[in-house]
Amino acid sequence: MSSREDILARVRAHKPALARPLPQVPFFDPPPGTDLPATFRESFVRMGGTLPDCGQDDPLDVVRRIMSTAPVTCSRVPEIRGNRSLSDDTPPASLADIDIGVVRASFGVAETGSVCLTEEDLLVNTLGYLPQHLIVLLDPARIVSNLHRAYQRPEWRSMHYAVLQSGPSATADIEGVLVHGAQGVRSLRLFFVPGHDG
Amino acid sequence: MSGAQGSDLNRNPPHPGRLDHAEGASIPLHSRVREAQPRGAVINGDQPIDQAGAAERFIAAPEHERMHDARLWDLRQKRDRQMHGIAEWEDLRRLASEIKEHALTHLDHYLEQFETNARANGIHVHWAQDADEHNAIILSLLRDHGVKRLIKSKSMLTEECGFRDFMAESGVEVVETDLGERIQQLDDEAPSHVVVPAVHKLRSDVAEVFARTLGTDPDDDDVHYLTEQQREKTRPLILDAQAGLTGANFVVAETGTFVVCTNEGNADLSANTPPLQIASIGIEKVIPRLEDLPVFVRLLSRSALGSPITQYTSHFRGPRRGGELHVVLVDNGRSERLGMEQFWTSLKCIRCGACMNTCPVFRRSGGLSYGATYAGPIGLIIDPTFNRHRYSSLPFSSTLNGSCTNVCPVRINIHEQIAGWRRVLAETHELPLMKKVIMREAGHLLSHPALYRTAIATADSALKHLPRFMVYNRLNTWGHGREVPAPPRETFHQWYAANRATKKGKPA
């Protein structure tokens, strides 16, 4: 017998013969009228992300100004141009010298301040990790209330890769002192920018 | 990496005061004096682990003990704040427990469903009965792909399989990408905690390890400096690796997805950078549906570190464009444990470490004192299923206070299972000789009331008069690390005989 058959046979022989029905999972929705973008903002900042204040300026102009200070930039967003091009056959490790990457998130989660970045949003998955800094655009109309609603989204059934990113790379492995940029991006900045299909 | 050099953008912004989110401490901790790091339990073949002895060495290093205790208790308090912030917390715990129990009682079905869906998405699925087979499968994959270096994110399953040592012997370089696990790798130690592997080390210990292995400044123990040095030294190894290995926190049968949770994003780096991606997954990780996943994601990091979610919660449902993805489903004793009537629900564990953070024994003895892959309360009930003799002393390293059970997000009755193991070990003659003798004598004493009364009165009166060295010595474990309570003036029976026996019928 193969290991597969051995393992499955042992599982069948040993699994407890107890009735343990699968429960219904409620959505635990917040009260109607909850301001999702405001909740998202609060959670996002708590996880270490920043939401730069654009004042009266167009957020895209603010992003362009930030980009202009960096030597190597790469954008997956049509409105923003970087100086490093990206195609679907770009080797993943070659993104290591990018200073700032820009992507548009598929959606956000108010409860946790997470943005969902899929393989389509990133084109090359390492765009989410190898740049020193990451800028994310999010359509405020695409914020769901909590994780139960988030997992109702279609991305989980269509994408091979998707991440809920909540703030920058962080560690507190040495004496509990929190440090950003442990391995992945050192900062995560977010701008609310309505999408064309939003 | 030209663009990364000489740019201010590549340095972290000036510190805006102490950060306090995710796994950050909410109280500033800083060791004041240098103190050598106490080492863990000595592994001596199949001999029972001397947890108490290793714990004594840890306690004998007061800076380490104090910091370890404070840091873990801080995590426990942060967990409590998260719990109080969610009205449905107890509902989530109940749901998590019910989903896991359903999945485990239908495990064959969900494993097959996962396999079918994962294969349909282009994932190669392998099955491993034990650690040896797990290691052999991965080695053969690495050899087929000409892999010389593998980058790896933290995975307790690979610790269980002795993966790093095996690969070292096989000539494959393994580089840990989790900072805590990397520290442990460089110091040639096992992780001491399932979530924070180097939590038993002070910053001075890390500075010493990095100076010795990475060539950093031995006198600079600034945490930001150490973390940055590690980032700079590890990154070239990551970019150059030919394969990446991760574990998995959850496996969704319905979609063929596996989920990895990290705060550093290191699992994503390991998975997304090299051409070959491998995941080692214990068979108990499977849950039925996508809608079950949020229950666990909401509980995991809140229970572990007191943060609402890990910085990265990553979902892999198929290979990336041009990449290759292999999953190894590992049994290694799990299917046997499933058949243990008293202990099968320990398979519900999601490895959050909440039971460790709250356990007074763990906090004061350090995870390495357990001499096993899994430390703390959950370790006490899992480890004996791997080796009943070697880990026979572990179920006694508990006060049975039940705090572990109270914080467990999947409602495992941990302290009851610890007590259950004590019974099993006594029945199967795995008790240490000293405990056996004491138990036999105690049994005799407790079944003879007159003898018992005399013994108690004698002991109490002896305690009053014995010199300290007679009470606080190696034989009296109750005198270790604490004062023996002052004996009462008289026993209850002496008082009763003097007062009640002669005043029968009078109101109290």
Side-chain angles (χ1 to χ4, degrees):
Chain A
M1 272 206 299
S2 70
S3 291
R4 177 187 186 278
E5 295 314 311
D6 277 346
I7 293 169
L8 287 171
R10 268 200 311 272
V11 167
R12 279 185 201 108
H14 289 160
K15 63 179 184 180
L18 299 167
R20 291 287 190 272
L22 188 58
Q24 287 281 308
V25 180
F27 285 109
F28 298 110
D29 285 321
T34 302
D35 184 342
L36 293 183
T39 311
F40 175 87
R41 268 174 183 281
E42 202 180 301
S43 310
F44 186 76
V45 169
R46 194 175 57 222
M47 293 301 290
T50 50
L51 290 134
D53 183 8
C54 300
Q56 297 300 306
D57 295 349
D58 179 351
L60 290 173
D61 286 338
V62 178
V63 174
R64 287 183 195 108
R65 274 207 296 278
I66 295 171
M67 303 269 285
S68 70
T69 65
V72 184
T73 56
C74 181
S75 171
R76 264 295 285 161
V77 178
E79 305 94 305
I80 301 286
R81 280 172 58 97
N83 57 21
R84 169 65 58 85
S85 65
L86 196 64
S87 71
D88 57 15
D89 57 4
T90 303
S94 71
L95 307 189
D97 62 345
I98 293 171
D99 297 293
I100 301 180
V102 186
V103 295
R104 179 180 276 283
S106 287
F107 65 91
V109 187
E111 176 195 0
T112 52
S114 313
V115 288
C116 177
L117 304 178
T118 69
E119 62 195 338
E120 240 174 61
D121 301 328
L122 296 162
L123 193 64
V124 176
N125 293 346
T126 49
L127 183 60
Y129 307 92
L130 286 177
Q132 300 287 329
H133 302 271
L134 192 63
I135 293 176
V136 176
L137 308 187
L138 175 65
D139 185 339
R142 286 201 173 200
I143 297 176
V144 300
S145 58
N146 64 19
L147 287 169
H148 301 284
R149 291 294 174 188
Y151 281 108
Q152 294 290 303
R153 296 272 318 178
E155 286 82 359
W156 312 113
R157 294 172 193 273
S158 59
M159 297 294 164
H160 276 193
Y161 173 74
V163 59
L164 290 173
Q165 184 168 352
S166 320
S169 169
T171 185
D173 276 343
I174 306 176
E175 277 192 14
V177 177
L178 187 67
V179 180
H180 285 169
Q183 298 286 10
V185 297
R186 297 172 188 275
S187 76
L188 182 65
R189 276 171 284 202
L190 186 130
F191 295 85
F192 284 134
V193 180
H196 299 301
D197 62 351
Chain B
M1 288 185 282
S2 61
Q5 282 163 12
S7 165
D8 283 346
L9 288 156
N10 297 327
R11 284 192 280 276
N12 283 320
H15 218 289
R18 226 169 39 77
L19 296 162
D20 184 16
H21 68 86
E23 44 183 325
S26 50
I27 45 169
L29 304 173
H30 197 303
S31 51
R32 287 184 296 262
V33 293
R34 281 218 172 205
E35 177 185 84
Q37 185 200 321
R39 296 292 162 172
V42 181
I43 313 283
N44 189 4
D46 230 14
Q47 288 302 301
I49 299 290
D50 180 15
Q51 198 271 340
E56 271 179 32
R57 289 197 296 281
F58 195 75
I59 292 169
E63 281 296 301
H64 283 79
E65 189 218 0
R66 186 179 64 82
M67 292 283 291
H68 191 258
D69 184 25
R71 165 96 170 102
L72 294 176
W73 185 246
D74 181 54
L75 291 178
R76 159 68 208 271
Q77 289 176 310
K78 292 180 81 185
R79 172 244 172 234
D80 288 353
R81 287 199 286 279
Q82 287 290 330
M83 173 193 75
H84 292 306
I86 292 192
E88 60 268 25
W89 184 262
E90 289 304 321
D91 291 328
L92 291 173
R93 286 181 75 210
R94 180 183 49 79
L95 286 165
S97 174
E98 287 176 6
I99 293 165
K100 276 284 185 184
E101 291 193 5
H102 172 84
L104 289 167
T105 51
H106 301 76
L107 188 56
D108 50 332
H109 167 72
Y110 288 119
L111 284 170
E112 287 183 303
Q113 192 186 358
F114 167 75
E115 181 189 41
T116 304
N117 291 326
R119 287 216 162 114
N121 301 338
I123 298 176
H124 301 270
V125 180
H126 310 259
W127 299 72
Q129 304 229 41
D130 54 24
D132 289 345
E133 193 173 8
H134 164 269
N135 294 343
I137 289 170
I138 295 183
L139 182 62
S140 105
L141 282 171
L142 299 182
R143 294 227 160 115
D144 287 351
H145 289 76
V147 175
K148 297 266 181 283
R149 180 187 299 134
L150 170 89
I151 51 173
K152 174 181 165 302
S153 71
K154 186 159 69 66
S155 140
M156 293 309 291
L157 177 59
T158 56
E159 295 293 330
E160 215 181 287
C161 294
F163 180 75
R164 260 187 345 226
D165 288 344
F166 175 83
M167 284 296 150
E169 287 162 23
S170 311
V172 177
E173 183 190 0
V174 174
V175 177
E176 295 286 348
T177 55
D178 173 87
L179 171 59
E181 190 73 35
R182 180 71 173 151
I183 293 168
Q184 292 308 94
Q185 180 184 26
L186 293 173
D187 200 21
D188 201 19
E189 265 190 345
S192 77
H193 184 289
V194 294
V195 177
V196 273
V199 68
H200 60 294
K201 278 185 161 69
L202 301 181
R203 65 183 72 192
S204 49
D205 302 326
V206 179
E208 186 273 317
V209 174
F210 280 8
R212 177 159 47 82
T213 55
L214 300 178
T216 58
D217 178 355
D219 297 319
D220 192 343
D221 65 0
D222 177 74
V223 173
H224 291 84
Y225 165 78
L226 293 170
T227 307
E228 181 66 22
Q229 285 292 312
Q230 178 273 160
R231 174 184 170 109
E232 289 304 313
K233 298 281 194 314
T234 310
R235 187 161 261 231
L237 305 177
I238 292 175
L239 295 175
D240 213 28
Q242 299 93 32
L245 179 80
T246 71
N249 294 82
F250 309 107
V251 171
V252 183
E254 181 191 14
T255 52
T257 305
F258 65 93
V259 182
V260 189
C261 304
T262 75
N263 284 308
E264 301 180 11
N266 58 306
D268 299 273
L269 273 170
S270 306
N272 286 319
T273 315
L276 175 63
Q277 180 189 355
I278 307 168
S280 297
I281 304 177
I283 54 171
E284 84 285 15
K285 299 276 182 182
V286 69
I287 55 174
R289 307 161 300 190
L290 206 48
E291 67 182 274
D292 301 322
L293 188 52
V295 174
F296 296 96
V297 175
R298 295 184 80 194
L299 287 168
L300 178 66
S301 194
R302 286 184 169 103
S303 297
L305 303 165
S307 71
I309 190 169
T310 47
Q311 310 287 113
Y312 297 87
T313 303
S314 308
H315 307 70
F316 300 91
R317 197 180 139 265
R320 65 165 190 273
R321 205 180 310 100
E324 197 175 313
L325 173 51
H326 294 258
V327 158
V328 187
L329 295 172
V330 187
D331 182 342
N332 204 32
R334 286 159 175 75
S335 60
E336 291 291 337
R337 207 184 307 155
L338 193 58
M340 302 173 86
E341 199 183 335
Q342 281 188 77
F343 306 116
W344 72 276
T345 57
S346 64
L347 288 162
K348 293 192 288 183
C349 175
I350 59 172
R351 309 279 190 260
C352 68
C355 60
M356 303 175 181
N357 300 346
T358 201
C359 176
V361 176
F362 182 88
R363 280 190 278 119
R364 286 175 186 83
S365 56
L368 296 178
S369 69
Y370 295 76
T373 300
Y374 300 99
I378 191 68
L380 305 189
I381 58 178
I382 294 181
D383 294 327
T385 67
F386 289 111
N387 187 328
R388 193 169 286 196
H389 183 63
R390 187 192 294 171
Y391 303 124
S392 56
S393 68
L394 295 188
F396 298 91
S397 305
S398 166
T399 65
L400 297 184
N401 67 13
S403 182
C404 44
T405 299
N406 286 331
V407 297
C408 178
V410 289
R411 301 219 295 197
I412 301 170
N413 57 336
I414 304 174
H415 74 294
E416 288 169 16
Q417 292 193 31
I418 295 172
W421 267 116
R422 292 184 184 181
R423 176 175 286 272
V424 168
L425 292 168
E427 283 166 3
T428 54
H429 310 290
E430 288 287 2
L431 286 191
L433 180 66
M434 198 57 177
K435 280 201 174 68
K436 251 187 276 189
V437 171
I438 290 171
M439 288 301 183
R440 199 174 52 227
E441 293 308 317
H444 180 68
L445 207 58
L446 291 170
S447 55
H448 295 82
L451 198 58
Y452 172 77
R453 275 174 222 142
T454 316
I456 290 295
T458 314
D460 282 349
S461 123
L463 272 177
K464 267 182 278 192
H465 305 295
L466 281 175
R468 282 186 70 82
F469 75 86
M470 294 283 283
V471 181
Y472 298 92
N473 58 39
R474 266 163 28 82
L475 290 175
N476 177 22
T477 51
W478 287 96
H480 290 190
R482 64 182 148 197
E483 287 291 309
V484 170
R489 227 160 15 89
E490 56 189 350
T491 68
F492 174 75
H493 277 282
Q494 288 166 338
W495 176 87
Y496 190 86
N499 290 282
R500 282 292 180 271
T502 53
K503 297 170 186 168
K504 226 172 235 174
K506 289 187 183 169

